[in-house]
Structure formats: C-alpha cells, structure tokens
C-alpha cells in the first residue's frame, strides 16, 4: 500500500469521479484508475462502484476512507514538520542575473518555487554582464548567480541552459539554400551590440577564426532595439537567442553558418555555508532545466 494511492483514494471520494480527481491531482485518468485498481487488488475489496454517474464509495470504501484521510493528514504534518526544521518556513534567496536570463528563464522558476515555498522571498538583481554577477557573489550581496561556463574554481557551478547565437534577418530575406551562408549574412548592414560587450566577444572571435571580419554598421546597446531595427528591414544582427526573444513576426532567425553556442550555469561560492532556502531554490531550478 502506497501513500500516493491513499491520496488518490481521498481525491476520488471528494471529487466524485475518476476524471475529476485526475484533473484535481494533475494526473492522467488512466493513472488514477490504475492506482485505485492496484489498491483494491492489494486490499482484496472493492472501494468504488463505477457507473455512468461517476465513482461512489462502497460501504467498505467508506470505512477505509476514514483511515486514509487520517494517514494523509498525518503524512502532511510530518512533511510540514520536516520543512519547518529545514528552515523552509521562511527566508530569502538572493539571485543575481543578467537581463536575458532574468527575463526568459527565471520567471517560471520563481513561480514554481513560490508555489512550493510561499513564505520564502526572492530578491532578484539584474546586472549588465556576468563579471558583475560573479562579483556580487564574492561580495556577499547574492547567494546564487547566473554566469557563462566555464568559470573559475572559486564557484560551484551547474549547467542549466544552452543558448545558441542566431542570425536575425528581415522577413523579406530568402536564403539561396537550406543553410544560411556567411556571404548572405554579411551582405546586409550589421546591427550589433557594441564590440566591447563581453557577450559579443565570442561571436567576433568565432567569425575571425573562420576568416570573416565582422564590422557593425550600427552599434546599439539595447537588444530589443536591435531586433526592432532588423524588423524594419535596416539590416541583420547576431544575438544570443535568449537576448533576442521575444522575436517579432517581422524577423527571421537562422543558426549561424557555423553554429555557436554559449553555456549558462548557475553558481554559488564554493564551500559556502548557504541557508536551506537557497538549496530549495537550486532544487527547483535543476528539476526544471536538468530533467
């Protein structure tokens, strides 16, 4: 007999049908039916009468439901006591990030974390580039940071995302073949972030090793402005996909002729004594992006 089966038993009894219980538990109906059938097989009794009007408890099902509810309540109390002991009843997680991660990756993680730990607050600071993120951790201003991999040994790092550099071109552009060429890309005026931006250094180095010299016709600091200029047909751009999103309908995206990616990792100071709330945040993050 499993605790999960008892939870499903309680849900079916309260919802009045297998389908409603499945919706309530965010499970498939077949999984709910299988769990109840397995529990009935283990106990050797029929718990529900199935029919066109749903699922109704049998007399023995009514008697067992009383005990199942008590077990579920006590199991929840045990989990709550353990969570309180781990310090997850309250606390704060201080996160340092650069804009594209804060905009596109973190909202869903924070929402999921808040569902599990509503009493823990998230403090999010955005920085211009990853060295500022790492410095925030060194100075004790943040507990968790997002940076590019590889990084130095002073940090413990977990890879969370692989971000591709993409070419953005106006909707009127039609490549000659299935793969964009450097010649096709470079025939357009280039709209790029300033050359000294750390984010863009890998792009310039990548092109140079392939025999291409990138020269920006327009240097623009804001990613959203770059994308808007491309949408207006003023030229082409190269950006990390995360930085370019959301990509409007008037912009076409392509992998670079020779693909290039950057690895984004979440870091903490190595050997740091972190509060339980930080480990809980890291658990949510890893489950979402490393599953």
């Amino acid at each position: 007999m499993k605790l999960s089966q008892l939870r499903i038993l309680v849900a079916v009894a309260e919802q009045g049908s297998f389908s409603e219980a499945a919706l309530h538990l965010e499970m498939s109906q077949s999984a709910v039916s299988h769990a109840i059938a397995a529990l009935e097989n283990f106990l050797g009794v029929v718990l529900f009468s199935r029919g066109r009007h749903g699922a109704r408890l049998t007399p023995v099902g009514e008697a067992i439901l009383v005990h199942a509810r008590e077990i579920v309540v006590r199991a929840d109390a045990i989990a709550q006591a353990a969570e309180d002991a781990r310090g997850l009843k309250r606390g704060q997680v201080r996160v340092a990030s650069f804009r594209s991660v804060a905009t596109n990756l973190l909202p869903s993680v924070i929402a999921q974390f808040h569902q599990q730990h509503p009493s823990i607050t998230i403090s999010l600071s955005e920085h211009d580039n990853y060295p500022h993120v790492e410095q925030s951790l060194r100075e004790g201003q943040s507990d968790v940071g997002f940076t590019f991999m590889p990084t130095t040994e002073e940090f413990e790092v977990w890879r969370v995302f692989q971000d591709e550099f993409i070419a953005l071109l106006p909707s009127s552009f039609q490549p000659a073949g299935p793969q964009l060429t450097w010649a096709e890309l470079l025939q357009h005026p280039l709209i790029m972030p300033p050359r000294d931006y750390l984010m863009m250094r890998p792009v310039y180095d990548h092109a140079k090793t392939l025999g291409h010299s990138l020269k920006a016709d327009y240097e623009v600091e804001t990613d959203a402005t770059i994308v808007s200029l491309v949408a207006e047909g003023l030229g082409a751009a190269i950006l990390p996909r995360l930085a370019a999103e959301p990509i409007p309908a008037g912009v076409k995206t392509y992998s670079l002729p020779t693909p290039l990616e950057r690895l984004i990792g979440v870091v903490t100071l190595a050997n740091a004594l972190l509060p339980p709330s930080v480990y809980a945040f890291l658990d949510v993050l890893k489950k979402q992006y490393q599953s």
Side-chain angles (χ1 to χ4, degrees):
M1 187 173 6
K2 298 178 181 178
L3 178 61
S4 60
Q5 293 171 334
L6 299 181
R7 290 189 187 279
I8 292 171
L9 166 63
V10 172
V12 174
E14 292 177 347
Q15 300 299 319
S17 74
F18 285 72
S19 59
E20 290 299 320
L23 288 172
H24 177 73
L25 296 169
E26 297 183 344
M27 299 172 62
S28 68
Q29 185 171 338
S30 62
V32 170
S33 299
H34 178 76
I36 295 298
L39 182 58
E40 289 177 327
N41 183 62
F42 175 79
L43 295 173
V45 296
V46 177
L47 299 171
F48 290 97
S49 298
R50 285 84 158 169
R52 58 187 299 181
H53 299 296
R56 295 183 178 179
L57 285 164
T58 61
V60 68
E62 292 276 7
I64 289 173
L65 176 65
V66 175
H67 301 293
R69 277 201 173 112
E70 184 177 351
I71 291 171
V72 169
V73 168
R74 290 185 179 275
D76 289 342
I78 290 171
Q80 185 63 57
E83 183 172 300
D84 292 348
R86 293 197 307 268
L88 297 180
K89 192 70 176 177
R90 56 190 171 274
Q92 182 184 37
V93 182
R94 300 172 300 164
V95 182
S97 175
F98 46 95
R99 186 197 62 81
S100 58
V101 166
T103 302
N104 297 299
L105 297 188
L106 279 177
S108 61
V109 174
I110 292 173
Q112 186 174 346
F113 180 79
H114 181 70
Q115 283 185 336
Q116 297 180 21
H117 310 287
S119 299
I120 298 177
T121 59
I122 299 289
S123 173
L124 176 60
S125 60
E126 292 187 36
H127 299 268
D128 292 335
N129 53 53
Y130 69 91
H132 291 165
V133 170
E134 294 178 356
Q135 188 61 28
S136 176
L137 269 74
R138 294 187 190 98
E139 294 176 354
Q141 298 173 356
S142 303
D143 305 305
V144 177
F146 289 85
T147 188
F148 301 132
M149 299 174 62
T151 186
T152 62
E153 293 183 357
E154 64 186 311
F155 298 110
E156 188 169 1
V157 59
W158 299 270
R159 172 178 159 178
V160 293
F161 197 76
Q162 193 166 299
D163 192 18
E164 179 187 18
F165 284 92
I166 57 173
L168 298 93
L169 291 110
S171 59
S172 59
F173 171 73
Q174 294 293 336
Q179 173 68 45
L180 177 71
T181 67
W182 284 106
E184 289 174 322
L185 174 59
L186 297 179
Q187 73 182 5
H188 295 79
L190 279 182
I191 308 168
M192 301 283 278
R195 190 184 184 97
D196 59 355
Y197 271 32
L198 289 175
M199 173 183 72
M200 299 306 297
R201 188 176 297 165
V203 176
Y204 285 97
D205 293 343
H206 179 66
K208 186 176 181 180
T209 60
L210 296 169
H212 303 285
S213 178
L214 300 183
K215 181 180 182 303
D217 295 272
Y218 305 91
E219 285 197 351
V220 181
E221 293 187 358
T222 307
D223 302 329
T225 303
I226 292 174
V227 175
S228 296
L229 293 174
V230 173
E232 292 296 328
L234 294 176
I238 301 173
L239 286 174
R241 183 175 291 277
L242 275 183
E245 291 179 344
I247 298 169
V251 173
K252 291 182 176 179
T253 63
Y254 301 86
S255 295
L256 293 180
T258 305
L260 176 65
E261 296 173 331
R262 61 179 184 174
L263 298 180
I264 297 173
V266 59
V267 296
T268 61
L269 281 177
N271 303 317
L273 294 176
L274 300 173
S277 56
V278 173
Y279 290 110
F281 179 81
L282 290 172
D283 285 342
V284 171
L285 180 71
K286 291 175 191 177
K287 286 177 182 176
Q288 182 153 340
Y289 288 105
Q290 296 183 348
S291 59

